[in-house]
Amino acid sequence: MSPKPLLEVKDLKTYFNVGGQKAWATAGVSFDVYPNEFLGIVGESGSGKSVTSLSLMRLIPDPPGHIDSGQVIYDGQDLLALPIEEMRKIRGKEIAMIFQEPMTSLNPVFTIGMQVTESVILHENLSKEEARKRAIDVLTQVGIPAAAERLDDYPHQFSGGMRQRVMIAMALICEPKLLIADEPTTALDVTIQAQILELMKGLQKGGGGNSTILITHDLAVIAETCDRVIVMYGGKIQEMAPVKELFREPLHPYTRGLLGSLPDESMKGQPLKAIPGNVPSIMDFPQGCRFSTRCELVEERCHTIEPELVEISPGHTVRCHLVEAPA
């Protein structure tokens, strides 16, 4: 018997108004996140990864963006239907997010200490002294030296990598049930990146059902940390599978292209493989398969008929005409 999902995303559709037209950034995204799971989402820039995560948190700026339809079920309630005050009680406490750009997410006029302790004071009703102690602990965990002294500094006094660590500390301080991490280690060196990923995975080891959605371009990070992986392109899920199975037997041409672009010792001295062409504009996706304009295996039907997302083996689904579902 499979465990009950911690989060259920059903047919999520989000668009942006661009010049009077609807540009669909996500077009029917559905997936589950299970307790104690590390779920990865990969894809090129513009594939809909970040918009999906912001939609889950209801942080899409409206206007110009708008969550058109779908459900996000957490703890038996649809987050998309909650009053905004109820949603604020969940953000930061139950579900937290590490944002991609720390300098645009940290307020330049407040100290680091004020910003890190804000959510724990709000959600756990701690005193300022208790919250400060918690902040020192979590800042130390994410690798900030002399954390007690640095609490009184401002964001501009931190390097880019240090600001990223502050963002991670802000997300972890309330020990959320679900952590959404959007490129959380991009600005960090390899050693600190490994420490941060271990810290995020440590949330799950307590057995409390804590889970993580990790959005990244780094397939090596996905391979090392995730249990399952979702491959997105054109605002849709193109393939979803257990991480070992996806790396061993990728089925979608796009997934194969991503994996084929990784450096390989056997190809030393040769140019890296690349997926031909560019990601289409959000205003100009192809009519059929969204990858059809770049796929080297494209057929005539791919230009006119969009393939369904079908299950090929337990837990492994793919959206491609060339992959036949088992009879």
Side-chain angles (χ1 to χ4, degrees):
M1 184 176 179
S2 59
K4 182 181 178 182
L6 177 67
L7 186 80
E8 300 173 76
V9 181
K10 301 179 180 180
D11 201 29
L12 180 65
K13 297 179 180 178
T14 303
Y15 68 81
F16 290 87
N17 281 305
V18 180
Q21 298 183 56
K22 292 181 179 180
W24 293 93
T26 66
V29 172
S30 300
F31 61 89
D32 296 332
V33 183
Y34 292 93
N36 296 310
E37 181 177 38
F38 225 97
L39 176 68
I41 303 180
V42 297
E44 293 168 283
S45 296
S47 60
K49 307 184 303 299
S50 294
V51 172
T52 297
S53 65
L54 291 170
S55 297
L56 302 185
M57 297 284 283
R58 286 177 61 184
L59 292 174
I60 295 292
D62 187 355
H66 182 69
I67 301 172
D68 183 70
S69 61
Q71 291 181 302
V72 178
I73 308 297
Y74 174 79
D75 196 23
Q77 52 191 347
D78 182 5
L79 300 185
L80 302 185
L82 285 182
I84 194 63
E85 288 302 320
E86 291 300 313
M87 189 65 202
R88 286 183 180 138
K89 293 177 182 178
I90 291 174
R91 289 194 200 118
K93 172 61 177 172
E94 298 288 329
I95 305 175
M97 186 167 181
I98 302 170
F99 296 95
Q100 192 170 357
E101 296 293 340
M103 204 53 196
T104 60
S105 302
L106 293 171
N107 193 318
V109 301
F110 291 113
T111 65
I112 293 299
M114 291 177 68
Q115 297 184 66
V116 173
T117 59
E118 181 182 18
S119 64
V120 77
I121 291 173
L122 174 66
H123 293 299
E124 299 189 16
N125 200 28
L126 297 184
S127 67
K128 288 186 177 181
E129 184 178 349
E130 291 171 325
R132 188 178 177 89
K133 289 179 180 178
R134 178 86 70 89
I136 292 170
D137 288 341
V138 73
L139 287 172
T140 301
Q141 284 181 310
V142 299
I144 294 182
E149 290 78 17
R150 304 232 58 185
L151 278 179
D152 298 317
D153 288 344
Y154 290 85
H156 73 271
Q157 295 173 278
F158 283 67
S159 68
M162 297 287 267
R163 287 194 292 266
Q164 185 66 41
R165 293 183 224 183
V166 170
M167 287 297 304
I168 295 167
M170 289 171 63
L172 296 180
I173 195 166
C174 288
E175 299 182 349
K177 285 283 188 181
L178 177 63
L179 177 65
I180 302 173
D182 191 356
E183 298 282 358
T185 58
T186 300
L188 306 179
D189 62 52
V190 175
T191 303
I192 297 298
Q193 174 177 283
Q195 292 175 5
I196 295 301
L197 291 171
E198 277 302 310
L199 178 62
M200 290 164 57
K201 286 188 74 70
L203 280 174
Q204 297 161 242
K205 294 176 182 176
N210 306 77
S211 302
T212 299
I213 298 175
L214 175 64
I215 299 168
T216 182
H217 291 91
D218 194 332
L219 288 164
V221 169
I222 290 287
E224 292 172 10
T225 59
C226 294
D227 303 303
R228 286 190 302 139
V229 58
I230 291 171
V231 179
M232 288 193 69
Y233 184 85
K236 288 179 175 282
I237 293 174
Q238 303 299 332
E239 188 164 3
M240 179 166 50
V243 67
K244 291 182 179 178
E245 186 172 340
L246 187 95
F247 277 77
R248 183 179 65 250
E249 190 179 3
L251 298 177
H252 198 284
Y254 180 58
T255 309
R256 292 175 186 167
L258 291 177
L259 294 174
S261 66
L262 294 174
D264 190 333
E265 277 292 327
S266 64
M267 298 181 65
K268 195 171 182 179
Q270 300 180 39
L272 289 174
K273 294 181 181 178
I275 300 173
N278 298 305
V279 178
S281 163
I282 192 173
M283 299 294 295
D284 192 30
F285 284 128
Q287 181 180 351
C289 173
R290 299 202 167 190
F291 188 58
S292 61
T293 55
R294 305 175 68 193
C295 182
E296 296 177 335
L297 303 175
V298 66
E299 297 179 350
E300 187 63 35
R301 57 179 171 169
C302 301
H303 293 297
T304 55
I305 303 171
E306 183 174 20
E308 297 289 330
L309 191 64
V310 296
E311 188 170 51
I312 303 303
S313 60
H316 194 159
T317 57
V318 64
R319 187 188 301 277
C320 181
H321 289 306
L322 305 179
V323 182
E324 296 290 338

